[in-house]
Amino acid sequence: MPKPERPTSALCDHDEAAVRYRGRDLVEELIGKLSFTEVLMLQILGRLPGAPERRMMDAILVTLMEHGLTPSAITTRLVYHSAPEAMQGAVAAGLLAVGSQFVGTMENAALLLREIREDPAGLEPAARRVAESYRAERRAIPGFGHHLHKPDDPRAKRLLELAREEGQAGSQVEALEILGHAVDAAAGRHVTVNATGAIAAILGDMGVPPELMRGFALVSRAAGLVSHVGEERERPSARFIWDLVEGAIPSEGGKRR
Amino acid sequence: MPKPERPTSALCDHDEAAVRYRGRDLVEELIGKLSFTEVLMLQILGRLPGAPERRMMDAILVTLMEHGLTPSAITTRLVYHSAPEAMQGAVAAGLLAVGSQFVGTMENAALLLREIREDPAGLEPAARRVAESYRAERRAIPGFGHHLHKPDDPRAKRLLELAREEGQAGSQVEALEILGHAVDAAAGRHVTVNATGAIAAILGDMGVPPELMRGFALVSRAAGLVSHVGEERERPSARFIWDLVEGAIPSEGGKRR
Amino acid sequence: MPKPERPTSALCDHDEAAVRYRGRDLVEELIGKLSFTEVLMLQILGRLPGAPERRMMDAILVTLMEHGLTPSAITTRLVYHSAPEAMQGAVAAGLLAVGSQFVGTMENAALLLREIREDPAGLEPAARRVAESYRAERRAIPGFGHHLHKPDDPRAKRLLELAREEGQAGSQVEALEILGHAVDAAAGRHVTVNATGAIAAILGDMGVPPELMRGFALVSRAAGLVSHVGEERERPSARFIWDLVEGAIPSEGGKRR
Amino acid sequence: MPKPERPTSALCDHDEAAVRYRGRDLVEELIGKLSFTEVLMLQILGRLPGAPERRMMDAILVTLMEHGLTPSAITTRLVYHSAPEAMQGAVAAGLLAVGSQFVGTMENAALLLREIREDPAGLEPAARRVAESYRAERRAIPGFGHHLHKPDDPRAKRLLELAREEGQAGSQVEALEILGHAVDAAAGRHVTVNATGAIAAILGDMGVPPELMRGFALVSRAAGLVSHVGEERERPSARFIWDLVEGAIPSEGGKRR
């Protein structure tokens, strides 16, 4: 195996008197001058956003923060109750639930938009082909449908509207809309674009690669999970949850198996 | 054991048409109107900040995001290399290093400030007593000293300055300063307040309980770790780190033990 | 700061033709010759056990594997449902619940036994003093009491019996028994030694430092959690748990707060 | 969405006087009677093994425990150093590195063996086809090759030998051997079966589904990582590793980017 080349890092350097993030002096140029969202974009995307793009990112992060007692929030509360000595463990455990099945569907939605945009047949025929083949196989289309929010996911609607207002809607948002029409036509009824579908398209138009999109959910959900830790400290729910679950799922221990 | 009471949650509720965070409509009142930092404060602290407090929180979050190839960043890179199918695992693993020894010293600094402020002897005598007893026991004082940043941690200086500019410096920042004088006097030389010491005092003045302070580091460091994942995807370092460490730490396998 | 000395590791070395664990050839001396439990003891304790000690360790590990739908098992199931692409995340999340409140009480029980054994007043007076002071402060004594198993935790009883049968009961088991009498006397009724109390004493007599005891629970519980992943694959419970919890914990989103 | 059916669990039940694992009384039937490995198989596979199968499982678990300063071990050491208050965090972080790239290749090897065995063309033509197509695409074949162990991975050789000795080699081990001949022929030289390839075949012959195989690595590696925590407590390496890595990877902070 060849020796791996010596890597370098552009993210941060420091000496006795200074810390720099991507070459910018933390104390002189960032603290007190830029918001968390701006510096997050500097570090993850490698560039400082203008105000419209920053507002768009704020909107995305705000949207991803909370959805009540989801698996990640329940997890954080149970782990915090069991190991209050280490709240990092509770937050980390909750983040481990930010996986392929819910938030992580962003990636698949983004990959689908890429497929449509790269189809030499053109956007509309490609969208029609995709919508019909998923329909035929009775598979859920990534970025579409929501078990709760019907007929429309209000978050998706507002995010796409904001993207247009802020001049952040590009070719991926356009592809999502064309796909939306094709999905409705194939289903014979309206199917909502969901929040992760809208976010996938908008982040794509910002230049975020699909494989990194989940990262924004991790940051934002970390904030949500910290607020669950804070609430759990004041109004504990974990013991109640434990009893509830244990009582509701019968064991079959009486029989040998 | 008494049955635990039925808990409730104030963080989020949702129905078909809406999602609300602490009673505020996500789509109508938050998306496109408030920044991530503002909504994070709404959720964790239970109130919306004014502009000065929001700027202060942005400054704190920006400061906690990065410090180069720390244990948490190395961890995230190694885990991402091993399990790229699940970037949530890489970020969660890195956050597990946000513990009591580095960032988590915030808690101990905040508890020390509380002790000084509650001492009936008064702030200055209490500060002197604490500084001298740590000195006598040769223990590091939480919130003071830094292995790299000397004579002053530039981040701490700037954050405390900003706290005064923004009207966010209250009784805990005052206690920190008095403790600082006592520490210098006891040591016979200047010992820097470090970034976690400054942040502990400022967050304390915002009303954050010591046990929740680590939460802000988790959110901010999550952003830093996502940027390390992004860089690792483009310029891999993990295989290099693995070889480096394995080559530098000799095993003693030849001998029975 | 002084440069840290170059560390070494005695756990494993390898070259093209061989892997050695603590100097023993994996292929020639371990595979097919020793059980998992024996090699685990070799690696963690630095010595191979005899048969009685190995049987004792097997009994401890077997006891720690399962207790039904505990916070750790619920966590693993929820995370697996959310991120089936990475079962390591589900198991890791569950292990994060092996903390100070349940299994981790072993450490506190072991520290209490140490305190009693080192008391110059002698075992019985020390045990009496400890039992009475916890009683006066109405605090739970680490290693005693169980919310479910009354009057006796059957696991603790059997483990202590086995320790005597196998010649593994030493001065810490003795201290636990003396403490048990004192606890009963102070309470005016029988209070059970629980499983973690018994295990703390027995591991202590094997020479395991209190701070490492939790490690045996982590290994054993990992096996339990893998079996929960296996069952979750065949009879999913996570969606049911999510709905159950969400339905049972009302949100208070209607009101501003 | 249809309401999910009420799930049940066969793994464990308990009442005041007893705990049962898959219907077997923990105290009467398991503690002191069965080894950890046997009970682990009872819980994960749903059946108690005979002695040959148990010896085989012990050998597999022993093999997966250690390989020195791997990413998972380095991770555990760094996280333990940063958060010694919670060793569960250190072990969990290390397990998060048991992913698709190293140990997790078991799954892909098992899926490949399934593909060959189900090929209507027959084992040998299927093996030839697979070996040649990977060769043509210059892809690594899951279960074959090792960057260190050449020409043969001694662990794989011994495990396969043991499988035959213990009567545990079935149709999947046979398929692996036939694939091995095809791989050698396609490469024009000997390519070693590696440990994960051998384990995939043997676990497959025990009836373990590919998607659960990683679980055995998690249990065994948990033991290895606990031994790394134990060694880190006595001979700290984390600060040395941190300095080493930080010193070896230059930052590029001088330049704006």
Side-chain angles (χ1 to χ4, degrees):
Chain A
M1 215 157 106
K3 242 196 143 57
E5 230 184 306
R6 175 180 296 266
T8 60
S9 176
L11 296 174
C12 182
D13 80 310
H14 48 70
D15 53 39
E16 288 191 12
V19 179
R20 279 174 293 274
Y21 290 9
R22 289 196 180 270
R24 282 170 172 82
D25 190 282
L26 170 60
V27 161
E28 300 295 329
E29 301 178 73
L30 307 179
I31 291 179
K33 301 211 167 108
L34 296 179
S35 73
F36 175 69
T37 302
E38 286 167 315
V39 179
L40 169 156
M41 294 177 81
L42 173 65
Q43 292 301 97
I44 301 181
L45 303 182
R47 59 185 165 78
L48 275 176
E53 202 187 15
R54 192 262 301 147
R55 283 193 295 268
M56 194 68 240
M57 180 59 82
D58 270 318
I60 288 170
L61 292 173
V62 164
T63 302
L64 290 166
M65 201 185 292
E66 258 298 339
H67 209 268
L69 287 162
T70 55
S72 63
I74 301 170
T75 290
T76 288
R77 285 168 175 262
L78 291 172
V79 174
Y80 184 70
H81 175 67
S82 306
E85 72 275 17
M87 87 176 261
Q88 70 271 19
V91 174
L95 291 182
L96 289 169
V98 178
S100 62
Q101 294 309 291
F102 306 110
V103 181
T105 49
M106 272 195 280
E107 279 171 44
N108 294 333
L111 294 170
L112 194 63
L113 295 179
R114 178 192 288 170
E115 181 191 330
I116 291 171
R117 290 164 57 235
E118 292 179 350
D119 190 320
L123 273 178
E124 292 191 35
R128 214 158 39 231
R129 177 184 53 76
V130 163
E132 284 164 7
S133 79
Y134 274 83
R135 176 81 186 163
E137 299 166 28
R138 311 180 71 85
R139 291 165 59 202
I141 305 187
F144 287 83
H146 197 278
H147 73 280
L148 173 74
H149 298 301
K150 292 172 191 161
D152 270 306
D153 185 331
R155 304 167 297 171
K157 236 177 126 172
R158 180 71 192 107
L159 286 169
L160 291 168
E161 203 175 75
L162 188 71
R164 279 183 293 263
E165 290 166 21
E166 299 287 359
Q168 299 299 311
S171 64
Q172 308 222 13
V173 168
E174 190 200 3
L176 179 70
E177 278 163 3
I178 290 169
L179 180 58
H181 294 305
V183 167
D184 287 2
R189 61 182 174 86
H190 177 55
V191 181
T192 188
V193 171
N194 60 35
T196 51
I199 292 172
I202 300 169
L203 287 178
D205 279 333
M206 286 182 181
V208 179
E211 298 80 5
L212 210 56
M213 289 183 180
R214 198 179 291 190
F216 296 92
L218 291 167
V219 176
S220 176
R221 194 50 67 95
L225 295 174
V226 170
S227 72
H228 280 277
V229 170
E231 195 177 67
E232 184 71 21
R233 286 173 47 81
E234 294 183 1
R235 331 187 202 176
S237 71
R239 183 76 230 183
F240 174 86
I241 293 172
W242 182 2
D243 287 353
L244 184 73
V245 172
E246 212 176 34
I249 298 184
S251 61
E252 309 178 358
K255 292 159 276 169
R256 284 280 168 111
R257 99 216 40 254
Chain B
M1 213 157 104
K3 239 191 142 63
E5 227 184 309
R6 176 181 296 266
T8 59
S9 177
L11 295 174
C12 182
D13 81 308
H14 46 70
D15 53 37
E16 288 192 12
V19 179
R20 279 173 294 274
Y21 290 8
R22 290 196 180 271
R24 282 171 172 82
D25 191 281
L26 171 60
V27 161
E28 300 295 331
E29 301 178 73
L30 306 180
I31 292 179
K33 302 211 167 107
L34 297 179
S35 73
F36 174 70
T37 302
E38 286 167 315
V39 179
L40 168 155
M41 294 177 81
L42 173 65
Q43 292 302 96
I44 301 180
L45 303 182
R47 58 184 166 78
L48 275 178
E53 202 186 18
R54 192 261 299 146
R55 283 194 294 266
M56 194 69 240
M57 181 58 84
D58 271 319
I60 288 170
L61 292 173
V62 164
T63 302
L64 290 165
M65 201 185 294
E66 256 299 338
H67 210 268
L69 286 163
T70 55
S72 62
I74 300 171
T75 290
T76 288
R77 285 170 176 260
L78 290 172
V79 174
Y80 184 70
H81 175 66
S82 305
E85 71 275 17
M87 88 176 260
Q88 69 270 21
V91 174
L95 290 182
L96 289 169
V98 179
S100 63
Q101 295 308 292
F102 306 111
V103 181
T105 50
M106 273 195 281
E107 279 171 43
N108 294 333
L111 294 169
L112 194 63
L113 295 180
R114 179 192 287 169
E115 181 191 330
I116 290 171
R117 290 165 56 233
E118 294 179 351
D119 190 320
L123 273 178
E124 290 191 36
R128 212 155 43 227
R129 176 184 55 75
V130 163
E132 283 163 9
S133 78
Y134 274 82
R135 177 80 184 163
E137 300 167 27
R138 310 181 71 85
R139 292 166 59 203
I141 304 186
F144 287 84
H146 197 279
H147 74 279
L148 173 73
H149 298 301
K150 291 171 193 161
D152 271 307
D153 184 332
R155 302 167 299 170
K157 236 177 125 172
R158 180 72 192 106
L159 287 168
L160 291 169
E161 201 175 75
L162 187 71
R164 280 183 294 262
E165 290 166 20
E166 299 287 359
Q168 298 299 309
S171 65
Q172 307 222 14
V173 167
E174 190 201 4
L176 180 69
E177 277 163 5
I178 289 169
L179 181 57
H181 294 305
V183 167
D184 288 1
R189 62 181 173 85
H190 177 56
V191 181
T192 187
V193 171
N194 60 36
T196 52
I199 292 172
I202 300 168
L203 287 178
D205 279 332
M206 285 183 183
V208 179
E211 299 79 6
L212 212 56
M213 289 183 180
R214 199 178 292 189
F216 296 92
L218 290 167
V219 176
S220 176
R221 193 51 65 95
L225 295 174
V226 170
S227 72
H228 280 277
V229 169
E231 195 176 69
E232 184 72 20
R233 287 172 46 81
E234 294 184 0
R235 330 188 203 175
S237 70
R239 183 77 230 180
F240 175 85
I241 292 171
W242 180 4
D243 288 351
L244 185 72
V245 172
E246 211 176 35
I249 299 184
S251 61
E252 309 177 359
K255 292 160 278 170
R256 281 281 166 112
R257 96 212 44 254
Chain C
M1 213 155 107
K3 243 195 140 61
E5 229 184 307
R6 175 181 296 266
T8 59
S9 176
L11 295 174
C12 182
D13 80 308
H14 46 70
D15 53 37
E16 289 192 11
V19 179
R20 279 173 294 273
Y21 290 10
R22 290 196 181 269
R24 282 170 171 82
D25 191 281
L26 171 60
V27 161
E28 299 296 329
E29 301 177 74
L30 307 179
I31 292 179
K33 302 211 167 111
L34 297 179
S35 74
F36 175 68
T37 301
E38 287 167 314
V39 179
L40 168 156
M41 294 178 80
L42 173 65
Q43 292 301 97
I44 301 180
L45 303 182
R47 58 185 166 78
L48 275 178
E53 201 186 17
R54 193 261 301 146
R55 282 193 295 265
M56 193 69 239
M57 179 60 81
D58 270 318
I60 288 170
L61 292 172
V62 164
T63 302
L64 290 165
M65 201 186 293
E66 256 299 338
H67 209 269
L69 286 162
T70 56
S72 62
I74 300 170
T75 291
T76 288
R77 285 169 175 260
L78 290 172
V79 174
Y80 184 69
H81 175 68
S82 305
E85 72 275 17
M87 87 176 262
Q88 71 270 20
V91 173
L95 290 182
L96 288 169
V98 178
S100 62
Q101 294 309 291
F102 304 110
V103 180
T105 49
M106 272 195 279
E107 279 170 44
N108 294 332
L111 293 170
L112 194 63
L113 295 180
R114 180 192 288 170
E115 183 191 327
I116 290 170
R117 290 164 56 234
E118 292 179 352
D119 190 319
L123 272 178
E124 291 191 36
R128 212 156 42 230
R129 176 183 56 74
V130 163
E132 283 163 9
S133 78
Y134 274 82
R135 177 80 184 162
E137 300 166 25
R138 310 180 70 84
R139 292 164 61 202
I141 304 187
F144 287 84
H146 197 278
H147 73 281
L148 173 72
H149 298 302
K150 292 171 193 159
D152 271 307
D153 185 332
R155 302 167 299 171
K157 238 178 124 171
R158 180 72 192 105
L159 286 169
L160 291 169
E161 202 176 75
L162 188 70
R164 279 182 295 264
E165 290 166 20
E166 299 287 359
Q168 299 299 310
S171 64
Q172 308 223 14
V173 168
E174 189 200 5
L176 180 70
E177 277 162 6
I178 289 170
L179 181 58
H181 294 306
V183 167
D184 287 2
R189 62 183 172 83
H190 177 55
V191 181
T192 187
V193 171
N194 60 36
T196 52
I199 292 172
I202 300 169
L203 287 178
D205 279 333
M206 285 183 182
V208 179
E211 298 80 6
L212 211 55
M213 289 182 180
R214 198 178 292 189
F216 296 92
L218 291 167
V219 176
S220 176
R221 194 50 65 96
L225 295 174
V226 170
S227 72
H228 280 277
V229 169
E231 195 177 68
E232 184 72 20
R233 287 173 47 81
E234 294 183 2
R235 329 189 204 175
S237 70
R239 183 75 230 182
F240 174 85
I241 293 172
W242 181 4
D243 288 352
L244 184 74
V245 172
E246 212 175 35
I249 298 184
S251 61
E252 309 178 359
K255 292 159 278 169
R256 282 283 166 110
R257 96 214 45 250
Chain D
M1 212 153 107
K3 241 191 142 59
E5 229 184 307
R6 176 181 295 266
T8 58
S9 176
L11 296 175
C12 182
D13 79 309
H14 46 71
D15 53 37
E16 288 191 13
V19 180
R20 281 173 291 275
Y21 290 9
R22 290 195 180 271
R24 283 171 170 82
D25 190 280
L26 171 60
V27 160
E28 300 296 329
E29 301 178 73
L30 307 180
I31 292 178
K33 302 213 167 106
L34 297 179
S35 73
F36 175 69
T37 302
E38 285 167 316
V39 179
L40 169 156
M41 294 177 81
L42 173 65
Q43 292 301 97
I44 302 180
L45 303 182
R47 57 184 167 79
L48 276 178
E53 201 186 17
R54 194 260 301 146
R55 283 193 294 267
M56 193 69 240
M57 180 60 82
D58 270 318
I60 288 170
L61 292 172
V62 163
T63 302
L64 289 166
M65 201 186 293
E66 257 298 338
H67 209 269
L69 286 162
T70 56
S72 63
I74 300 171
T75 289
T76 287
R77 285 168 175 260
L78 290 172
V79 174
Y80 184 70
H81 175 68
S82 306
E85 72 275 17
M87 89 176 260
Q88 71 271 21
V91 174
L95 290 182
L96 289 169
V98 178
S100 63
Q101 295 308 291
F102 305 111
V103 180
T105 49
M106 272 195 281
E107 278 171 45
N108 294 332
L111 294 170
L112 194 63
L113 295 179
R114 180 191 288 170
E115 183 191 329
I116 291 170
R117 289 165 55 235
E118 293 179 351
D119 190 320
L123 273 178
E124 291 191 36
R128 210 153 47 227
R129 177 185 54 75
V130 163
E132 282 163 8
S133 79
Y134 273 83
R135 177 82 185 162
E137 300 167 26
R138 311 182 69 85
R139 293 165 59 202
I141 304 186
F144 287 84
H146 197 279
H147 73 281
L148 173 73
H149 299 301
K150 291 171 193 160
D152 271 306
D153 185 332
R155 303 168 298 171
K157 237 178 125 170
R158 179 72 192 105
L159 287 167
L160 292 168
E161 201 177 78
L162 188 71
R164 277 182 295 263
E165 289 167 21
E166 299 287 359
Q168 298 299 310
S171 64
Q172 306 223 15
V173 167
E174 188 200 6
L176 179 69
E177 276 163 5
I178 289 170
L179 181 58
H181 294 306
V183 167
D184 287 2
R189 62 183 173 86
H190 178 55
V191 180
T192 186
V193 171
N194 61 35
T196 51
I199 292 172
I202 300 169
L203 287 178
D205 279 332
M206 286 183 181
V208 179
E211 299 80 6
L212 211 55
M213 289 183 179
R214 200 179 291 190
F216 296 92
L218 290 167
V219 176
S220 175
R221 193 50 66 95
L225 295 174
V226 170
S227 72
H228 280 276
V229 169
E231 195 176 68
E232 184 70 21
R233 287 172 46 80
E234 294 184 2
R235 330 188 204 176
S237 70
R239 182 77 230 183
F240 175 85
I241 293 172
W242 182 2
D243 288 352
L244 184 73
V245 172
E246 210 175 35
I249 298 184
S251 61
E252 309 177 0
K255 291 160 277 167
R256 283 282 167 108
R257 97 214 44 253

